[in-house]
Coordinates of all heavy atoms in Angstrom, one line a residue:
T226 N 0.8 -1.2 0.0 CA 0.0 0.0 0.0 C 0.8 1.3 0.0 O 0.3 2.3 -0.4 CB -0.9 0.1 1.2 OG1 -0.1 0.1 2.4 CG2 -1.9 -1.1 1.3
G227 N 2.0 1.2 0.5 CA 2.8 2.4 0.6 C 2.6 3.2 1.9 O 3.2 4.2 2.2
V228 N 1.6 2.6 2.7 CA 1.3 3.2 4.0 C 2.4 2.8 5.0 O 2.7 1.6 5.1 CB -0.1 2.8 4.6 CG1 -0.3 3.3 6.0 CG2 -1.2 3.2 3.6
P229 N 3.2 3.7 5.6 CA 4.3 3.4 6.5 C 3.8 2.4 7.6 O 2.7 2.6 8.2 CB 4.8 4.7 7.0 CG 4.3 5.7 6.0 CD 3.0 5.2 5.5
R230 N 4.6 1.5 7.9 CA 4.3 0.5 9.0 C 4.0 1.2 10.3 O 3.1 0.8 11.0 CB 5.5 -0.5 9.1 CG 5.2 -1.6 10.1 CD 6.2 -2.7 10.0 NE 6.0 -3.6 11.2 CZ 6.7 -3.5 12.3 NH1 7.6 -2.5 12.5 NH2 6.5 -4.3 13.3
Q231 N 4.8 2.3 10.6 CA 4.5 3.0 11.9 C 3.1 3.6 11.9 O 2.5 3.6 13.0 CB 5.6 4.1 12.1 CG 6.9 3.5 12.4 CD 6.9 2.7 13.7 OE1 6.3 3.0 14.7 NE2 7.5 1.5 13.6
M232 N 2.6 4.0 10.7 CA 1.2 4.5 10.7 C 0.2 3.4 10.9 O -0.8 3.5 11.6 CB 0.9 5.2 9.4 CG 1.6 6.6 9.2 SD 1.1 7.8 10.5 CE -0.5 8.1 9.9
I233 N 0.5 2.2 10.3 CA -0.4 1.1 10.4 C -0.4 0.7 11.9 O -1.5 0.4 12.4 CB 0.1 -0.1 9.6 CG1 0.0 0.2 8.1 CG2 -0.6 -1.4 9.9 CD1 0.7 -0.7 7.1
I234 N 0.7 0.7 12.6 CA 0.8 0.4 14.0 C -0.1 1.3 14.8 O -0.9 1.0 15.7 CB 2.2 0.3 14.5 CG1 3.0 -0.9 13.9 CG2 2.3 0.3 16.0 CD1 4.5 -0.9 14.1
R235 N 0.1 2.6 14.5 CA -0.7 3.7 15.2 C -2.2 3.5 15.0 O -3.0 3.7 15.9 CB -0.2 5.1 14.8 CG 1.2 5.3 15.3 CD 1.8 6.6 14.9 NE 1.1 7.7 15.6 CZ 1.2 9.0 15.2 NH1 1.8 9.3 14.1 NH2 0.6 9.9 15.9
Y236 N -2.6 3.2 13.8 CA -4.0 2.9 13.5 C -4.5 1.8 14.3 O -5.6 1.8 14.9 CB -4.2 2.6 12.0 CG -4.0 3.8 11.0 CD1 -3.5 3.5 9.7 CD2 -4.1 5.1 11.4 CE1 -3.3 4.5 8.8 CE2 -3.9 6.1 10.4 CZ -3.5 5.8 9.2 OH -3.2 6.8 8.2
E237 N -3.8 0.7 14.2 CA -4.2 -0.6 14.9 C -4.2 -0.5 16.4 O -5.0 -1.1 17.0 CB -3.3 -1.7 14.5 CG -3.5 -2.1 13.0 CD -2.8 -3.4 12.6 OE1 -2.1 -4.0 13.4 OE2 -2.9 -3.7 11.4
K238 N -3.4 0.4 17.0 CA -3.4 0.6 18.4 C -4.4 1.6 18.8 O -4.6 1.9 20.0 CB -2.0 1.0 18.9 CG -1.0 -0.1 18.9 CD 0.3 0.3 19.5 CE 1.2 -0.9 19.6 NZ 2.4 -0.6 20.3
G239 N -5.1 2.3 17.9 CA -6.1 3.3 18.2 C -5.5 4.6 18.6 O -6.2 5.4 19.1
K240 N -4.2 4.8 18.3 CA -3.6 6.1 18.6 C -4.2 7.2 17.7 O -4.3 8.3 18.2 CB -2.1 6.0 18.4 CG -1.4 5.0 19.3 CD -1.4 5.4 20.7 CE -0.7 4.4 21.6 NZ -0.9 4.6 23.0
I241 N -4.4 6.9 16.5 CA -5.0 7.8 15.5 C -6.0 7.0 14.7 O -5.9 5.8 14.5 CB -4.0 8.5 14.6 CG1 -3.2 7.5 13.8 CG2 -3.1 9.5 15.4 CD1 -2.3 8.2 12.8
M242 N -7.0 7.8 14.1 CA -8.0 7.2 13.3 C -7.7 7.5 11.8 O -7.4 8.6 11.5 CB -9.4 7.8 13.6 CG -10.5 7.1 12.9 SD -10.7 5.4 13.3 CE -11.8 4.9 12.1
P243 N -7.6 6.4 11.0 CA -7.2 6.6 9.6 C -8.4 7.4 8.9 O -9.5 7.3 9.2 CB -7.1 5.2 9.0 CG -7.8 4.3 9.9 CD -7.8 5.0 11.3
T244 N -8.0 8.1 7.9 CA -9.0 8.8 7.0 C -9.7 7.7 6.2 O -9.2 6.6 6.1 CB -8.3 9.8 6.0 OG1 -7.4 9.0 5.2 CG2 -7.5 10.9 6.8
V245 N -10.8 8.0 5.5 CA -11.5 7.1 4.7 C -10.5 6.6 3.6 O -10.4 5.4 3.3 CB -12.7 7.7 4.1 CG1 -13.3 6.8 3.0 CG2 -13.7 8.0 5.2
R246 N -9.8 7.5 3.0 CA -8.8 7.2 1.9 C -7.8 6.2 2.5 O -7.5 5.2 1.8 CB -8.2 8.4 1.4 CG -7.1 8.1 0.3 CD -6.5 9.3 -0.3 NE -7.5 9.9 -1.2 CZ -7.5 11.2 -1.6 NH1 -6.4 11.9 -1.3 NH2 -8.4 11.7 -2.4
A247 N -7.2 6.5 3.6 CA -6.2 5.6 4.2 C -6.8 4.2 4.5 O -6.1 3.2 4.3 CB -5.6 6.2 5.4
M248 N -8.0 4.2 5.1 CA -8.6 2.9 5.4 C -8.9 2.1 4.2 O -8.6 0.9 4.2 CB -9.9 3.2 6.2 CG -10.5 2.0 6.9 SD -9.5 1.6 8.4 CE -9.1 -0.1 8.0
N249 N -9.3 2.7 3.1 CA -9.5 2.0 1.9 C -8.2 1.5 1.3 O -8.2 0.4 0.7 CB -10.3 2.8 0.9 CG -11.8 2.8 1.1 OD1 -12.3 1.7 1.4 ND2 -12.5 3.8 0.8
R250 N -7.1 2.2 1.4 CA -5.8 1.7 1.0 C -5.4 0.5 1.7 O -4.8 -0.4 1.1 CB -4.8 2.8 1.2 CG -4.8 3.9 0.1 CD -3.9 5.0 0.4 NE -2.5 4.6 0.2 CZ -1.4 5.3 0.5 NH1 -1.6 6.5 1.1 NH2 -0.2 4.9 0.4
L251 N -5.7 0.4 3.0 CA -5.4 -0.7 3.8 C -6.3 -1.9 3.5 O -5.9 -3.1 3.6 CB -5.4 -0.4 5.3 CG -4.4 0.7 5.8 CD1 -4.7 1.0 7.2 CD2 -3.0 0.2 5.6
L252 N -7.6 -1.6 3.2 CA -8.5 -2.7 3.0 C -8.5 -3.3 1.6 O -8.7 -4.5 1.4 CB -10.0 -2.2 3.2 CG -10.4 -1.9 4.7 CD1 -11.7 -1.1 4.7 CD2 -10.4 -3.2 5.5
E253 N -8.1 -2.5 0.6 CA -8.1 -3.0 -0.8 C -7.3 -4.3 -1.0 O -7.8 -5.2 -1.6 CB -7.6 -1.9 -1.7 CG -7.7 -2.3 -3.2 CD -7.2 -1.2 -4.1 OE1 -7.2 0.0 -3.7 OE2 -6.9 -1.5 -5.2
P254 N -6.0 -4.4 -0.5 CA -5.3 -5.7 -0.7 C -5.9 -6.8 0.0 O -5.7 -8.0 -0.3 CB -3.9 -5.4 -0.1 CG -3.8 -3.9 0.2 CD -5.2 -3.4 0.2
L255 N -6.8 -6.6 1.0 CA -7.5 -7.6 1.7 C -8.8 -8.0 1.0 O -9.5 -8.9 1.4 CB -7.9 -7.2 3.1 CG -6.7 -6.6 4.0 CD1 -7.1 -6.2 5.3 CD2 -5.6 -7.7 4.1
G256 N -9.1 -7.3 -0.1 CA -10.4 -7.5 -0.8 C -11.6 -6.9 -0.3 O -12.7 -7.3 -0.6
Y257 N -11.4 -5.8 0.4 CA -12.6 -5.0 1.0 C -12.4 -3.6 0.7 O -11.4 -3.1 0.3 CB -12.6 -5.3 2.5 CG -13.0 -6.7 2.9 CD1 -12.1 -7.7 3.0 CD2 -14.3 -7.0 3.1 CE1 -12.4 -9.0 3.3 CE2 -14.7 -8.3 3.5 CZ -13.8 -9.3 3.6 OH -14.1 -10.5 3.9
Q258 N -13.5 -2.8 1.0 CA -13.5 -1.4 0.9 C -14.6 -0.9 1.9 O -15.5 -1.6 2.2 CB -13.8 -0.9 -0.5 CG -15.2 -1.1 -1.0 CD -15.4 -0.6 -2.4 OE1 -14.5 -0.2 -3.1 NE2 -16.7 -0.6 -2.8

């Protein structure tokens, strides 16, 4: 996705909430949107 791993970690720990665009970038390789 090109989303830095540190950002993914922060999203997953609930430190920050991803934007809709960022969330879709993370979901797309998983087959979701």
Side-chain angles (χ1 to χ4, degrees):
T226 64
V228 176
R230 186 169 167 267
Q231 288 303 315
M232 288 300 288
I233 294 170
I234 291 169
R235 292 175 73 195
Y236 294 150
E237 291 186 3
K238 288 185 174 186
K240 300 289 183 190
I241 56 173
M242 185 63 191
T244 63
V245 171
R246 179 178 286 164
M248 195 72 234
N249 275 324
R250 284 176 66 190
L251 296 174
L252 288 170
E253 187 177 338
L255 307 177
Y257 290 86
Q258 68 180 11

